[in-house]
Amino acid sequence: MDQLPYHDILYNDAPIGPYPSHLLRRVPEPTNRVPGPVERKDQRSSVFARSLLGEFGEELEREFKRMTVRYPVGGALVDLQNHINLYPRRANPVAKKKAPIPTDPRVLSRHLKSLGHFLGADIVGIGPLPQSAVYSHDMKGREIDAPYPWAIALVVRKHEPTLCASNGWEEIVDGASFQVYQRVALQTEAMANYIRRLGWNAVATNMNSYVTLMPQIALDCGIGEVSRMGIVLNPFLGANFKIAAVLTDMELEADGYADFGLQDYCASCTDCADQCPSHAITRGKQTLYNGYSTWKLNDRVCSDFDILNKEGCVCGRCTKVCPWHRPDMDGRDFAGWDGDLGWLHATVDEQRARNRANGYVDPSERTDKWWFALDEVDGELVVPTGRNPQKICREYPLQR
Ligand code: SF4
Ligand code: SF4
Protein backbone atom coordinates (compact mmCIF):
# COMPACT_ATOMS: atom_id res chain seq x y z
CA MET A 1 0.00 0.00 0.00
CA ASP A 2 1.32 3.41 -0.93
CA GLN A 3 2.52 5.86 1.66
CA LEU A 4 -0.07 8.47 2.55
CA PRO A 5 1.25 11.97 3.30
CA TYR A 6 -0.43 12.28 6.69
CA HIS A 7 1.26 9.05 7.80
CA ASP A 8 4.81 10.46 7.61
CA ILE A 9 5.53 9.54 11.24
CA LEU A 10 5.18 5.86 10.33
CA TYR A 11 7.72 6.15 7.50
CA ASN A 12 10.36 8.52 8.83
CA ASP A 13 12.85 8.26 11.72
CA ALA A 14 11.14 10.75 14.03
CA PRO A 15 11.37 9.74 17.69
CA ILE A 16 8.34 7.94 19.09
CA GLY A 17 7.49 8.32 22.77
CA PRO A 18 8.93 10.42 25.60
CA TYR A 19 12.31 8.66 25.92
CA PRO A 20 14.95 8.45 23.14
CA SER A 21 15.11 4.64 22.95
CA HIS A 22 15.91 4.94 19.23
CA LEU A 23 19.34 6.40 20.11
CA LEU A 24 20.44 3.44 22.25
CA ARG A 25 23.31 1.39 20.89
CA ARG A 26 21.93 -1.90 19.56
CA VAL A 27 23.82 -5.19 19.41
CA PRO A 28 22.92 -8.59 17.94
CA GLU A 29 23.26 -10.55 21.24
CA PRO A 30 22.41 -9.80 24.90
CA THR A 31 25.31 -8.05 26.64
CA ASN A 32 25.37 -10.76 29.32
CA ARG A 33 26.65 -14.04 27.92
CA VAL A 34 24.07 -16.64 26.89
CA PRO A 35 25.93 -19.90 26.27
CA GLY A 36 22.56 -21.73 26.57
CA PRO A 37 20.64 -23.94 26.42
CA VAL A 38 17.84 -21.98 28.05
CA GLU A 39 15.09 -24.26 29.36
CA ARG A 40 11.41 -23.39 29.53
CA LYS A 41 10.10 -22.81 33.04
CA ASP A 42 6.89 -24.00 34.65
CA GLN A 43 4.92 -21.09 36.10
CA ARG A 44 4.54 -23.10 39.32
CA SER A 45 8.32 -23.17 39.79
CA SER A 46 8.77 -19.52 40.85
CA VAL A 47 9.29 -18.92 44.56
CA PHE A 48 6.15 -16.75 44.75
CA ALA A 49 4.12 -19.57 43.14
CA ARG A 50 5.64 -22.15 45.47
CA SER A 51 4.82 -19.95 48.48
CA LEU A 52 1.23 -19.61 47.24
CA LEU A 53 0.96 -23.36 46.73
CA GLY A 54 2.05 -23.99 50.33
CA GLU A 55 5.34 -25.62 49.48
CA PHE A 56 7.25 -23.52 52.03
CA GLY A 57 4.81 -23.98 54.91
CA GLU A 58 1.53 -22.58 56.22
CA GLU A 59 2.81 -19.19 57.34
CA LEU A 60 4.23 -18.24 53.93
CA GLU A 61 1.09 -19.51 52.16
CA ARG A 62 -1.20 -17.55 54.50
CA GLU A 63 0.85 -14.36 54.40
CA PHE A 64 1.28 -14.55 50.62
CA LYS A 65 -2.50 -14.70 50.14
CA ARG A 66 -3.06 -11.57 52.26
CA MET A 67 0.15 -9.81 51.22
CA THR A 68 -1.35 -7.09 49.03
CA VAL A 69 -4.85 -6.88 50.50
CA ARG A 70 -3.84 -6.36 54.14
CA TYR A 71 -2.98 -2.75 53.30
CA PRO A 72 -6.13 -0.90 52.12
CA VAL A 73 -4.64 0.77 49.02
CA GLY A 74 -3.46 -2.64 47.81
CA GLY A 75 -6.80 -4.15 48.81
CA ALA A 76 -8.73 -1.56 46.80
CA LEU A 77 -6.63 -2.27 43.71
CA VAL A 78 -7.02 -6.04 44.11
CA ASP A 79 -10.83 -5.65 44.44
CA LEU A 80 -10.86 -3.70 41.19
CA GLN A 81 -8.71 -6.34 39.53
CA ASN A 82 -11.02 -9.13 40.71
CA HIS A 83 -13.96 -7.17 39.32
CA ILE A 84 -12.25 -6.89 35.94
CA ASN A 85 -11.46 -10.60 36.05
CA LEU A 86 -15.16 -11.41 36.65
CA TYR A 87 -15.68 -10.83 32.96
CA PRO A 88 -15.19 -14.14 31.23
CA ARG A 89 -11.88 -13.72 29.45
CA ARG A 90 -13.43 -14.13 26.03
CA ALA A 91 -10.98 -12.76 23.55
CA ASN A 92 -12.61 -11.08 20.59
CA PRO A 93 -12.10 -13.26 17.49
CA VAL A 94 -9.46 -12.50 14.90
CA ALA A 95 -11.12 -10.62 12.02
CA LYS A 96 -11.73 -12.90 9.03
CA LYS A 97 -10.17 -10.45 6.60
CA LYS A 98 -7.02 -8.46 7.24
CA ALA A 99 -7.50 -4.69 7.40
CA PRO A 100 -6.32 -2.68 4.34
CA ILE A 101 -3.18 -1.31 5.98
CA PRO A 102 0.52 -1.44 5.00
CA THR A 103 2.29 -4.72 5.73
CA ASP A 104 5.83 -3.29 5.92
CA PRO A 105 7.16 -4.58 9.31
CA ARG A 106 8.87 -1.28 10.06
CA VAL A 107 5.69 0.73 9.44
CA LEU A 108 3.60 -1.65 11.54
CA SER A 109 6.21 -1.53 14.33
CA ARG A 110 6.15 2.26 14.42
CA HIS A 111 2.36 2.15 14.36
CA LEU A 112 2.15 -0.25 17.34
CA LYS A 113 4.77 1.69 19.30
CA SER A 114 2.71 4.84 18.76
CA LEU A 115 -0.39 2.95 19.91
CA GLY A 116 1.47 1.80 23.04
CA HIS A 117 2.31 5.40 23.95
CA PHE A 118 -1.25 6.45 23.14
CA LEU A 119 -2.47 3.84 25.63
CA GLY A 120 -0.11 5.25 28.28
CA ALA A 121 3.13 3.26 28.07
CA ASP A 122 6.37 5.15 28.77
CA ILE A 123 8.55 2.83 26.68
CA VAL A 124 7.65 0.29 24.00
CA GLY A 125 10.07 -2.28 22.58
CA ILE A 126 9.71 -5.04 20.00
CA GLY A 127 11.61 -8.30 19.70
CA PRO A 128 11.40 -11.93 18.67
CA LEU A 129 9.69 -14.35 21.05
CA PRO A 130 11.92 -17.35 21.82
CA GLN A 131 9.95 -20.35 23.08
CA SER A 132 12.25 -20.43 26.13
CA ALA A 133 10.46 -17.26 27.27
CA VAL A 134 7.08 -19.05 27.25
CA TYR A 135 6.05 -20.90 30.42
CA SER A 136 5.66 -24.65 29.83
CA HIS A 137 2.62 -24.88 32.17
CA ASP A 138 0.32 -22.45 33.95
CA MET A 139 -0.54 -22.40 37.67
CA LYS A 140 -3.16 -25.10 37.13
CA GLY A 141 -0.69 -27.38 35.37
CA ARG A 142 -2.13 -26.84 31.89
CA GLU A 143 0.35 -26.83 29.02
CA ILE A 144 0.89 -23.39 27.46
CA ASP A 145 1.01 -23.07 23.72
CA ALA A 146 2.09 -19.66 22.41
CA PRO A 147 3.32 -20.08 18.84
CA TYR A 148 3.82 -16.36 18.20
CA PRO A 149 7.05 -15.11 16.61
CA TRP A 150 6.89 -11.55 18.00
CA ALA A 151 6.57 -9.78 21.35
CA ILE A 152 5.71 -6.12 21.95
CA ALA A 153 6.79 -5.03 25.44
CA LEU A 154 5.00 -2.12 27.13
CA VAL A 155 6.72 -0.45 30.09
CA VAL A 156 5.14 1.92 32.62
CA ARG A 157 7.06 3.92 35.21
CA LYS A 158 6.02 3.74 38.86
CA HIS A 159 4.83 6.84 40.73
CA GLU A 160 8.05 8.70 41.59
CA PRO A 161 6.85 11.03 44.39
CA THR A 162 5.51 8.04 46.30
CA LEU A 163 8.68 6.02 45.91
CA CYS A 164 10.80 9.00 46.93
CA ALA A 165 8.76 9.47 50.11
CA SER A 166 9.06 5.78 50.98
CA ASN A 167 12.05 3.90 52.37
CA GLY A 168 11.44 1.17 49.81
CA TRP A 169 9.62 -1.39 51.94
CA GLU A 170 6.74 0.53 53.54
CA GLU A 171 3.12 -0.50 53.06
CA ILE A 172 2.62 1.69 49.98
CA VAL A 173 5.40 -0.02 48.02
CA ASP A 174 3.28 -3.03 47.07
CA GLY A 175 0.35 -0.79 46.10
CA ALA A 176 2.70 1.31 43.96
CA SER A 177 3.68 -1.81 42.03
CA PHE A 178 0.17 -3.19 41.79
CA GLN A 179 -1.16 0.09 40.42
CA VAL A 180 1.31 -0.07 37.53
CA TYR A 181 0.80 -3.80 36.91
CA GLN A 182 -2.88 -3.03 36.50
CA ARG A 183 -2.40 -0.13 34.10
CA VAL A 184 0.04 -1.93 31.84
CA ALA A 185 -2.21 -5.02 31.87
CA LEU A 186 -5.12 -2.97 30.56
CA GLN A 187 -2.87 -1.41 27.90
CA THR A 188 -1.73 -4.79 26.60
CA GLU A 189 -5.28 -6.21 26.59
CA ALA A 190 -6.40 -3.25 24.46
CA MET A 191 -3.47 -3.63 22.07
CA ALA A 192 -4.02 -7.40 21.63
CA ASN A 193 -7.73 -6.80 21.03
CA TYR A 194 -6.89 -4.13 18.42
CA ILE A 195 -4.45 -6.40 16.55
CA ARG A 196 -7.08 -9.16 16.41
CA ARG A 197 -9.53 -6.64 14.98
CA LEU A 198 -6.97 -5.90 12.25
CA GLY A 199 -6.90 -9.60 11.31
CA TRP A 200 -3.76 -10.93 13.02
CA ASN A 201 -3.46 -13.27 16.00
CA ALA A 202 -2.48 -11.63 19.28
CA VAL A 203 -2.61 -12.40 22.99
CA ALA A 204 -1.64 -10.35 26.05
CA THR A 205 0.72 -11.63 28.73
CA ASN A 206 0.24 -9.68 31.96
CA MET A 207 -0.86 -9.95 35.59
CA ASN A 208 -4.25 -11.31 34.51
CA SER A 209 -2.56 -14.31 32.97
CA TYR A 210 1.20 -14.55 32.53
CA VAL A 211 2.10 -16.67 29.53
CA THR A 212 5.76 -15.66 29.52
CA LEU A 213 8.73 -14.85 31.78
CA MET A 214 8.80 -11.08 31.66
CA PRO A 215 12.55 -10.53 32.34
CA GLN A 216 13.40 -12.42 29.17
CA ILE A 217 10.77 -10.53 27.18
CA ALA A 218 12.26 -7.26 28.47
CA LEU A 219 15.72 -8.34 27.38
CA ASP A 220 14.68 -9.63 23.95
CA CYS A 221 12.57 -6.53 23.23
CA GLY A 222 15.59 -4.30 23.88
CA ILE A 223 14.14 -2.60 26.95
CA GLY A 224 17.45 -2.82 28.79
CA GLU A 225 20.30 -4.96 30.08
CA VAL A 226 20.48 -7.51 32.91
CA SER A 227 21.55 -5.80 36.15
CA ARG A 228 23.12 -6.95 39.41
CA MET A 229 19.58 -7.03 40.83
CA GLY A 230 18.98 -9.92 38.44
CA ILE A 231 16.30 -7.99 36.58
CA VAL A 232 16.41 -5.90 33.41
CA LEU A 233 17.25 -2.24 33.90
CA ASN A 234 16.30 0.50 31.47
CA PRO A 235 18.79 3.36 30.96
CA PHE A 236 16.13 6.07 31.39
CA LEU A 237 13.92 4.59 34.13
CA GLY A 238 16.34 2.36 36.01
CA ALA A 239 14.34 -0.65 37.22
CA ASN A 240 11.51 1.51 38.50
CA PHE A 241 8.86 0.15 36.13
CA LYS A 242 6.54 -2.75 35.40
CA ILE A 243 6.21 -4.51 32.11
CA ALA A 244 3.60 -6.54 30.21
CA ALA A 245 3.54 -7.65 26.58
CA VAL A 246 1.51 -8.59 23.53
CA LEU A 247 2.46 -11.69 21.52
CA THR A 248 1.49 -11.72 17.86
CA ASP A 249 2.05 -13.23 14.44
CA MET A 250 1.99 -9.80 12.79
CA GLU A 251 5.38 -9.45 11.08
CA LEU A 252 7.32 -6.73 12.91
CA GLU A 253 10.82 -5.26 13.14
CA ALA A 254 13.02 -6.05 16.17
CA ASP A 255 14.70 -3.22 18.08
CA GLY A 256 17.79 -5.33 18.86
CA TYR A 257 19.49 -5.80 22.22
CA ALA A 258 20.36 -2.67 24.20
CA ASP A 259 23.97 -1.89 25.18
CA PHE A 260 24.58 1.11 27.41
CA GLY A 261 27.52 -0.29 29.38
CA LEU A 262 25.55 -1.73 32.30
CA GLN A 263 27.59 -4.92 32.63
CA ASP A 264 30.71 -2.90 33.46
CA TYR A 265 28.77 -0.43 35.60
CA CYS A 266 27.18 -3.14 37.78
CA ALA A 267 30.52 -4.99 38.00
CA SER A 268 31.96 -2.01 39.90
CA CYS A 269 28.83 -0.97 41.84
CA THR A 270 27.19 -2.87 44.68
CA ASP A 271 24.74 -0.24 45.96
CA CYS A 272 21.66 -2.48 45.58
CA ALA A 273 23.42 -5.38 47.32
CA ASP A 274 24.63 -3.08 50.11
CA GLN A 275 21.12 -1.75 50.69
CA CYS A 276 19.11 -4.95 50.34
CA PRO A 277 17.58 -5.63 53.77
CA SER A 278 17.65 -9.40 53.28
CA HIS A 279 21.08 -9.64 51.60
CA ALA A 280 19.48 -11.44 48.66
CA ILE A 281 21.64 -9.66 46.04
CA THR A 282 25.16 -10.92 45.47
CA ARG A 283 28.22 -8.69 45.69
CA GLY A 284 30.11 -11.28 43.65
CA LYS A 285 30.51 -11.92 39.96
CA GLN A 286 28.03 -13.22 37.44
CA THR A 287 27.36 -16.96 37.39
CA LEU A 288 25.67 -19.24 34.89
CA TYR A 289 21.95 -19.76 35.50
CA ASN A 290 19.67 -21.55 33.02
CA GLY A 291 21.98 -20.78 30.11
CA TYR A 292 22.52 -17.11 31.06
CA SER A 293 25.42 -15.35 32.72
CA THR A 294 23.75 -13.29 35.38
CA TRP A 295 23.98 -12.00 38.93
CA LYS A 296 21.69 -14.63 40.42
CA LEU A 297 19.32 -13.19 43.00
CA ASN A 298 18.64 -15.38 46.04
CA ASP A 299 14.97 -15.28 45.12
CA ARG A 300 13.81 -17.42 48.06
CA VAL A 301 15.34 -14.98 50.56
CA CYS A 302 13.95 -11.94 48.71
CA SER A 303 10.51 -13.55 48.43
CA ASP A 304 10.38 -14.53 52.13
CA PHE A 305 11.31 -10.97 53.10
CA ASP A 306 8.61 -9.57 50.78
CA ILE A 307 5.91 -11.87 52.12
CA LEU A 308 6.77 -11.67 55.83
CA ASN A 309 7.67 -7.96 55.95
CA LYS A 310 5.74 -6.63 58.95
CA GLU A 311 7.37 -3.20 58.84
CA GLY A 312 5.52 -2.51 55.61
CA CYS A 313 4.44 -4.56 52.63
CA VAL A 314 6.73 -6.25 50.10
CA CYS A 315 9.98 -4.49 49.13
CA GLY A 316 11.54 -2.49 46.32
CA ARG A 317 14.53 -1.03 48.14
CA CYS A 318 17.03 -2.20 45.50
CA THR A 319 15.25 -0.50 42.59
CA LYS A 320 14.83 2.68 44.64
CA VAL A 321 18.51 3.08 45.60
CA CYS A 322 19.97 2.07 42.23
CA PRO A 323 21.61 5.20 40.78
CA TRP A 324 20.05 4.52 37.36
CA HIS A 325 16.81 5.40 39.11
CA ARG A 326 16.82 9.17 38.58
CA PRO A 327 13.49 10.33 39.99
CA ASP A 328 14.13 14.00 39.15
CA MET A 329 14.61 13.29 35.44
CA ASP A 330 11.96 12.56 32.85
CA GLY A 331 11.78 12.37 29.08
CA ARG A 332 12.33 16.13 28.64
CA ASP A 333 15.75 15.85 30.31
CA PHE A 334 16.82 13.44 27.57
CA ALA A 335 15.48 15.60 24.73
CA GLY A 336 18.92 16.82 23.69
CA TRP A 337 20.69 13.49 24.20
CA ASP A 338 22.70 12.34 21.21
CA GLY A 339 23.39 8.79 22.41
CA ASP A 340 26.62 9.73 24.25
CA LEU A 341 27.24 7.01 26.87
CA GLY A 342 29.64 9.28 28.77
CA TRP A 343 26.80 11.71 29.48
CA LEU A 344 24.45 8.85 30.39
CA HIS A 345 26.96 7.42 32.89
CA ALA A 346 27.73 10.87 34.26
CA THR A 347 24.08 11.40 35.17
CA VAL A 348 24.09 8.04 36.94
CA ASP A 349 27.27 8.97 38.84
CA GLU A 350 25.64 12.25 39.89
CA GLN A 351 22.61 10.38 41.17
CA ARG A 352 24.86 7.97 43.02
CA ALA A 353 26.61 10.88 44.73
CA ARG A 354 23.22 12.33 45.69
CA ASN A 355 22.10 8.97 47.08
CA ARG A 356 25.21 8.69 49.23
CA ALA A 357 24.94 12.27 50.49
CA ASN A 358 21.33 11.55 51.48
CA GLY A 359 22.07 8.21 53.11
CA TYR A 360 20.72 6.38 50.06
CA VAL A 361 17.59 8.52 50.18
CA ASP A 362 16.37 6.88 53.36
CA PRO A 363 13.41 9.14 54.14
CA SER A 364 12.99 8.49 57.87
CA GLU A 365 11.70 12.02 58.45
CA ARG A 366 10.04 12.74 55.09
CA THR A 367 7.06 15.03 55.37
CA ASP A 368 5.49 14.08 52.04
CA LYS A 369 4.23 10.62 52.98
CA TRP A 370 0.59 10.79 51.97
CA TRP A 371 -0.45 7.28 53.00
CA PHE A 372 -1.51 6.07 56.47
CA ALA A 373 0.32 3.32 58.30
CA LEU A 374 -2.42 0.68 58.63
CA ASP A 375 -2.55 -3.06 58.76
CA GLU A 376 -5.39 -5.55 58.79
CA VAL A 377 -5.63 -7.72 61.87
CA ASP A 378 -8.55 -10.17 62.25
CA GLY A 379 -10.56 -8.33 59.60
CA GLU A 380 -10.08 -4.85 61.09
CA LEU A 381 -7.76 -2.06 60.12
CA VAL A 382 -5.49 -1.06 62.97
CA VAL A 383 -2.59 1.29 63.46
CA PRO A 384 0.36 -1.06 63.74
CA THR A 385 1.71 -0.99 67.27
CA GLY A 386 5.24 -1.55 68.27
CA ARG A 387 6.34 -0.66 64.78
CA ASN A 388 9.77 0.78 64.82
CA PRO A 389 11.02 2.12 61.51
CA GLN A 390 14.58 1.61 62.63
CA LYS A 391 14.00 -1.94 63.86
CA ILE A 392 14.27 -3.47 60.46
CA CYS A 393 17.53 -1.61 59.93
CA ARG A 394 18.92 -3.14 63.10
CA GLU A 395 17.80 -6.62 62.10
CA TYR A 396 19.12 -6.16 58.59
CA PRO A 397 21.97 -3.66 58.99
CA LEU A 398 22.36 -1.54 55.89
CA GLN A 399 25.80 -0.79 54.58
CA ARG A 400 26.99 2.72 54.07
S1 SF4 B 1 13.22 -6.43 46.71
FE1 SF4 B 1 14.11 -5.91 48.72
S2 SF4 B 1 14.66 -7.91 49.60
FE2 SF4 B 1 14.35 -8.25 47.40
S3 SF4 B 1 16.37 -8.01 46.45
FE3 SF4 B 1 15.39 -5.99 46.37
S4 SF4 B 1 16.08 -4.93 48.23
FE4 SF4 B 1 16.46 -7.12 48.51
S1 SF4 C 1 22.64 -0.43 42.27
FE1 SF4 C 1 24.57 -0.51 41.12
S2 SF4 C 1 25.03 -2.70 40.97
FE2 SF4 C 1 22.88 -2.53 41.55
S3 SF4 C 1 21.76 -2.66 39.62
FE3 SF4 C 1 22.08 -0.47 40.09
S4 SF4 C 1 24.00 0.08 39.03
FE4 SF4 C 1 23.90 -2.16 39.11
Side-chain angles (χ1 to χ4, degrees):
M1 180 162 294
D2 290 334
Q3 175 181 350
L4 299 171
Y6 51 86
H7 284 137
D8 276 358
I9 183 76
L10 301 183
Y11 292 85
N12 61 27
D13 292 324
I16 297 174
Y19 294 93
S21 301
H22 64 294
L23 293 178
L24 284 177
R25 187 162 70 198
R26 300 290 174 172
V27 290
E29 301 287 340
T31 52
N32 58 316
R33 223 165 41 93
V34 188
V38 181
E39 289 176 9
R40 283 178 79 179
K41 293 274 184 190
D42 189 314
Q43 199 177 5
R44 295 166 296 180
S45 67
S46 77
V47 285
F48 264 3
R50 291 167 70 191
S51 300
L52 174 64
L53 295 170
E55 203 175 306
F56 301 138
E58 277 178 25
E59 186 189 17
L60 279 159
E61 180 183 350
R62 184 186 65 243
E63 293 303 315
F64 183 89
K65 285 177 178 163
R66 59 184 223 103
M67 182 168 66
T68 300
V69 296
R70 69 184 172 83
Y71 180 63
V73 171
L77 290 165
V78 170
D79 277 351
L80 179 61
Q81 193 61 40
N82 288 339
H83 183 71
I84 293 168
N85 287 349
L86 280 180
Y87 278 116
R89 293 198 73 234
R90 282 179 306 205
N92 57 313
V94 178
K96 289 196 177 81
K97 190 163 174 244
K98 285 196 165 52
I101 58 173
T103 53
D104 180 342
R106 182 164 186 280
V107 172
L108 290 174
S109 296
R110 288 180 67 80
H111 172 67
L112 290 181
K113 284 185 178 182
S114 302
L115 174 70
H117 293 299
F118 167 77
L119 292 170
D122 290 302
I123 298 201
V124 185
I126 296 177
L129 175 70
Q131 282 303 296
S132 56
V134 179
Y135 283 122
S136 62
H137 297 81
D138 68 11
M139 287 294 289
K140 293 190 170 150
R142 296 172 296 209
E143 279 185 27
I144 294 181
D145 184 29
Y148 303 96
W150 294 97
I152 307 146
L154 275 66
V155 165
V156 177
R157 189 182 198 182
K158 290 199 251 178
H159 191 246
E160 290 294 359
T162 298
L163 288 188
C164 286
S166 152
N167 65 10
W169 59 64
E170 284 162 285
E171 43 277 287
I172 198 62
V173 170
D174 191 30
S177 290
F178 205 92
Q179 183 251 24
V180 184
Y181 278 131
Q182 200 165 61
R183 282 163 58 205
V184 76
L186 291 173
Q187 292 166 16
T188 49
E189 293 292 352
M191 181 180 282
N193 184 317
Y194 170 71
I195 294 173
R196 291 192 293 268
R197 286 169 188 271
L198 293 180
W200 281 267
N201 286 294
V203 66
T205 171
N206 57 43
M207 68 175 298
N208 293 334
S209 170
Y210 280 113
V211 179
T212 54
L213 285 113
M214 299 317 295
Q216 193 174 340
I217 296 284
L219 188 66
D220 291 334
C221 289
I223 299 300
E225 292 186 57
V226 168
S227 69
R228 181 179 291 280
M229 294 179 273
I231 53 178
V232 168
L233 187 153
N234 175 269
F236 311 118
L237 305 182
N240 186 36
F241 63 82
K242 293 297 177 192
I243 180 171
V246 174
L247 315 179
T248 182
D249 59 6
M250 178 184 273
E251 193 63 28
L252 298 172
E253 182 182 74
D255 286 342
Y257 293 94
D259 180 1
F260 48 93
L262 188 67
Q263 303 310 293
D264 285 345
Y265 199 96
C266 285
S268 61
C269 169
T270 56
D271 290 359
C272 53
D274 295 343
Q275 292 292 306
C276 168
S278 70
H279 309 301
I281 301 175
T282 178
R283 289 193 185 84
K285 295 185 174 169
Q286 287 185 336
T287 53
L288 198 62
Y289 172 73
N290 193 24
Y292 280 87
S293 288
T294 185
W295 288 280
K296 178 72 179 78
L297 177 76
N298 189 333
D299 48 2
R300 175 71 200 276
V301 169
C302 169
S303 164
D304 283 7
F305 181 85
D306 276 13
I307 297 169
L308 300 176
N309 172 13
K310 295 293 191 296
E311 297 294 320
C313 188
V314 188
C315 179
R317 176 79 177 172
C318 47
T319 58
K320 176 187 160 70
V321 302
C322 172
W324 290 81
H325 172 217
R326 290 162 292 201
D328 297 327
M329 293 181 73
D330 62 22
R332 283 164 296 193
D333 295 296
F334 293 96
W337 186 51
D338 60 1
D340 173 22
L341 289 182
W343 181 84
L344 199 61
H345 288 192
T347 66
V348 178
D349 290 340
E350 284 164 13
Q351 181 61 35
R352 194 174 184 199
R354 261 196 299 274
N355 284 354
R356 286 176 180 274
N358 295 333
Y360 284 94
V361 247
D362 200 358
S364 51
E365 300 299 329
R366 294 278 305 229
T367 56
D368 50 353
K369 294 187 189 193
W370 56 267
W371 61 95
F372 296 118
L374 291 168
D375 203 353
E376 193 200 82
V377 177
D378 298 330
E380 286 185 16
L381 287 178
V382 298
V383 176
T385 53
R387 176 175 279 189
N388 177 352
Q390 296 308 316
K391 176 170 168 280
I392 201 164
C393 300
R394 286 201 300 275
E395 286 178 359
Y396 302 94
L398 302 179
Q399 313 292 316
R400 287 278 188 268

